[in-house]
Amino acid sequence: GESVGLHLPTLSVQEGDNSIINCAYSNSASDYFIWYKQESGKGPQFIIDIRSNMDKRQGQRVTVLLNKTVKHLSLQIAATQPGDSAVYFCAELTQGGSEKLVFGKGTKLTVNP
Amino acid sequence: NAGVMQNPRHLVRRRGQEARLRCSPMKGHSHVYWYRQLPEEGLKFMVYLQKENIIDESGMPKERFSAEFPKEGPSILRIQQVVRGDSAAYFCASSPGLAGAGETQYFGPGTRLLVL
């Protein structure tokens, strides 16, 4: 089965609010995690990544948190905008093993104006 | 620097026909990956190639599917004798090196295959 999953399939927020998208993974050997954004009809777009030697990483308006103890990953989007509406996937990879990314099913984020 | 290019963007085939999907990686990228996505699902790994070599094809069906990445030209994912269950979006990704070396996979826009 999938080693990466999501707690919520859909998330609806108001424009300007902060969004939190969660992801659980089951492979404790995974050491590299990526968040991708996929808009309708397009390919996944890289947002931010984090390696297992970190527990937090910040980008522009986005923050990824990694909790290795409970094997949980989250993506926080600050001041969510309508353009953030998309499906968000977390993906994991085990360095030193196969180079294949293992994706979760995704969370659909809808931003209401 | 152009991104990963895929063509065609949409492909319609009848059962039993062949489908050829092309992927041109980003300039400077020598690693190519193919993934398949069914509606409302995440992407599933199919195959990982470097120039002229298949590195990992553990996600590829044993029959009817093949992939290549020749020395010159794009990577090709070939599906012979397509069936309705092959209908999906096929995404190609490329990277300049290994994730273990800190490289990320970047995705193309995908080819949406519809088998009638």
Side-chain angles (χ1 to χ4, degrees):
Chain A
E2 292 290 337
S3 69
V4 179
L6 296 168
H7 295 307
L8 294 173
T10 61
L11 178 65
S12 184
V13 300
Q14 290 298 124
E15 181 177 359
D17 286 352
N18 296 332
S19 303
I20 300 177
I21 300 172
N22 295 305
C23 178
Y25 65 95
S26 57
N27 186 355
S28 57
S30 292
D31 47 17
Y32 178 49
F33 305 89
I34 310 170
W35 280 101
Y36 286 95
K37 170 188 179 183
Q38 187 177 26
E39 296 174 277
S40 181
K42 297 184 178 180
Q45 175 188 356
F46 172 86
I47 302 174
I48 192 168
D49 60 1
I50 189 167
R51 300 192 183 272
S52 59
N53 60 350
M54 304 172 68
D55 52 22
K56 181 179 180 179
R57 192 167 186 215
Q58 288 185 289
Q60 190 174 23
R61 280 202 308 120
V62 294
T63 301
V64 55
L65 299 177
L66 175 62
N67 185 331
K68 294 182 287 293
T69 302
V70 295
K71 289 184 283 189
H72 183 267
L73 192 69
S74 69
L75 176 70
Q76 300 178 2
I77 305 174
T80 315
Q81 303 168 359
D84 295 327
S85 294
V87 178
Y88 289 81
F89 294 96
C90 64
E92 64 177 297
L93 186 147
T94 304
Q95 296 178 19
S98 168
E99 287 294 298
K100 63 183 179 186
L101 291 171
V102 176
F103 283 81
K105 286 193 173 182
T107 292
K108 183 175 182 179
L109 174 67
T110 301
V111 182
N112 302 308
Chain B
N1 188 6
V4 178
M5 311 276 284
Q6 288 188 252
N7 68 83
R9 295 292 305 276
H10 299 273
L11 183 60
V12 180
R13 284 288 178 265
R14 295 193 180 280
R15 282 178 297 170
Q17 291 184 318
E18 178 180 288
R20 277 181 176 247
L21 288 61
R22 295 174 190 79
C23 169
S24 296
M26 290 177 69
K27 186 176 181 180
H29 288 196
S30 58
H31 300 244
V32 166
Y33 314 81
W34 286 93
Y35 293 82
R36 176 164 61 179
Q37 185 178 36
L38 295 174
E40 305 295 316
E41 292 194 7
L43 283 73
K44 289 195 168 49
F45 170 82
M46 299 181 74
V47 61
Y48 161 41
L49 311 100
Q50 294 180 28
K51 282 288 187 182
E52 300 184 276
N53 288 302
I54 296 174
I55 307 301
D56 180 355
E57 55 182 347
S58 60
M60 196 108 92
K62 298 293 183 212
E63 298 179 351
R64 302 189 298 108
F65 285 72
S66 62
E68 63 177 11
F69 188 17
K71 187 177 180 181
E72 301 291 338
S75 175
I76 306 287
L77 179 66
R78 183 183 178 202
I79 311 172
Q80 294 178 289
Q81 299 172 346
V82 295
V83 300
R84 288 202 175 130
D86 297 332
S87 296
Y90 291 83
F91 290 96
C92 170
S94 74
S95 68
L98 300 174
E103 304 294 350
T104 299
Q105 296 178 24
Y106 295 91
F107 283 82
T111 293
R112 280 143 187 87
L113 173 65
L114 175 62
V115 180
L116 301 177

